[in-house]
Amino acid sequence: MFLAVLARQYPFSSVRRARGRNATLNTVIPIALTIAGSDPSGGAGIQADLKTFHRFQVYGEAAISLITVQNTRGVTRVEVLSPELVRQQIEAVLQDIPPNAVKTGALGNRAVVEAVAEALTESVRGRGLPLVVDPVMMSSQGESLLDPDAKQAMIERLLPITFVFTPNLDEATALVGFPIKDLGLAKRAAKVLLEMGPRNILIKGGHFPGDAIDLLLLENGDFRLLTAEKIDSRHTHGTGCTYSAAITAGLASGASLLDSATAAKLFITKAISSAPGLGEGHGPLNHFA
């Protein structure tokens, strides 16, 4: 598990040395960047990602793609930032404190998707920067966070540079064009998604009957199941964001995808089961889990 790796003082060749007046000579720390929307209630998006990075002892950076007005009861407004502003945020980070892994969340529209792909392509292909793409097409309450034209841009521009793609069942269904009602159909869908360009696929299957089973298709063709007891709770706001952020933290720390996904699955299960019960709607998880 990658937490054991962390305990060995971050011995990762790609991790940038800390600089500044208070940095000790040999201090190194994993770094992860999230490119996503802002949730003022703190349960999803940028806020959830940064909390998750910190929980896994990873230094978190953030480029904001859109601003939402939301709480646990729903999303009432979304303002997508200009693609140029999003791209400049990413480039500023890459030029000064380059991350060891990147994740994307809600991007909003086609122009922003294209700007993100443009900003990341050189780092992904040039230095092997692992990119985790969580499509975030809908909020937990069902509001759209990705317009229809942006879906095609994601397929054309972002998925070909993606290390691991992490749709939930609804998002995977929208992309492959057939309903995913069981594990067999999930495997078929994962193969279709893999043909779109990502190196690995993780379909989050929390809506399957029975246990919470996620399907991981690795680039070597192997399928792995990540299974946990399903928790009956309305406090699931930000589950997808937190899950993909935990995977990103593992990759930034030098762990394998399988170890990162396994640790993320354990974390998200504990975070749901110990949710603090905040809000009148779909409450946030326990990011201290």
Side-chain angles (χ1 to χ4, degrees):
M1 211 63 65
F2 76 86
L3 289 179
V5 178
L6 287 174
R8 296 197 291 271
Q9 299 181 344
Y10 313 116
F12 316 120
S13 61
S14 61
V15 176
R16 187 176 179 85
R17 291 184 182 278
R19 296 185 300 177
R21 183 181 305 172
N22 297 319
T24 55
L25 181 61
N26 293 317
T27 299
V28 292
I29 187 169
I31 301 165
L33 166 65
T34 173
I35 306 165
S38 171
D39 170 13
S41 70
I46 289 287
Q47 289 83 350
D49 292 345
L50 292 177
K51 291 174 184 178
T52 303
F53 292 163
H54 189 77
R55 180 65 185 86
F56 284 106
Q57 302 179 47
V58 171
Y59 179 80
E61 303 175 316
I64 298 176
S65 56
L66 55 87
I67 306 293
T68 69
V69 177
Q70 69 172 295
N71 53 30
T72 66
R73 294 179 293 181
V75 179
T76 57
R77 185 175 178 181
V78 178
E79 291 283 344
V80 182
L81 300 186
S82 76
E84 181 68 9
L85 180 56
V86 176
R87 183 182 61 79
Q88 288 177 350
Q89 291 179 77
I90 299 168
E91 290 176 347
V93 169
L94 294 176
Q95 291 165 5
D96 186 42
I97 311 177
N100 303 101
V102 179
K103 69 151 287 192
T104 64
L107 299 180
N109 62 33
R110 183 182 187 100
V112 170
V113 172
E114 292 176 341
V116 170
E118 180 182 347
L120 293 177
T121 295
E122 182 177 348
S123 292
V124 169
R125 292 181 172 163
R127 67 181 184 92
L129 180 68
L131 172 62
V132 178
V133 172
D134 190 24
V136 192
M137 295 179 177
M138 306 287 288
S139 72
S140 298
Q141 300 91 347
E143 293 85 357
S144 176
L145 295 174
L146 188 74
D147 67 34
D149 197 34
K151 182 176 76 171
Q152 190 60 35
M154 181 176 64
I155 294 171
E156 294 172 355
R157 300 291 304 278
L158 210 51
L159 293 191
I161 61 170
T162 296
F163 179 69
V164 57
F165 185 46
T166 65
N168 61 31
L169 285 177
D170 291 337
E171 291 160 345
T173 294
L175 289 166
V176 301
F178 57 83
I180 305 171
K181 299 179 179 180
D182 55 40
L183 194 56
L185 288 169
K187 289 183 176 181
R188 177 185 165 196
K191 291 179 179 179
V192 173
L193 293 171
L194 199 67
E195 293 175 355
M196 295 180 183
R199 289 172 56 186
N200 305 274
I201 304 293
L202 175 66
I203 296 180
K204 295 172 286 191
H207 300 297
F208 278 138
D211 289 339
I213 301 174
D214 303 322
L215 178 69
L216 179 62
L217 173 56
L218 299 170
E219 58 186 316
N220 64 4
D222 287 348
F223 283 105
R224 300 297 179 95
L225 298 182
L226 306 176
T227 304
E229 181 182 357
K230 183 173 291 186
I231 300 162
D232 184 16
S233 172
R234 67 179 173 89
H235 299 291
T236 56
H237 183 53
T239 299
C241 303
T242 300
Y243 195 170
S244 59
I247 292 172
T248 307
L251 296 174
S253 301
S256 70
L257 174 57
L258 182 57
D259 282 351
S260 298
T262 301
K265 181 69 171 179
L266 292 170
F267 175 67
I268 201 70
T269 301
K270 291 181 179 179
I272 295 171
S273 65
S274 60
L278 302 176
E280 298 178 0
H282 295 281
L285 313 179
N286 172 23
H287 288 94
F288 293 108

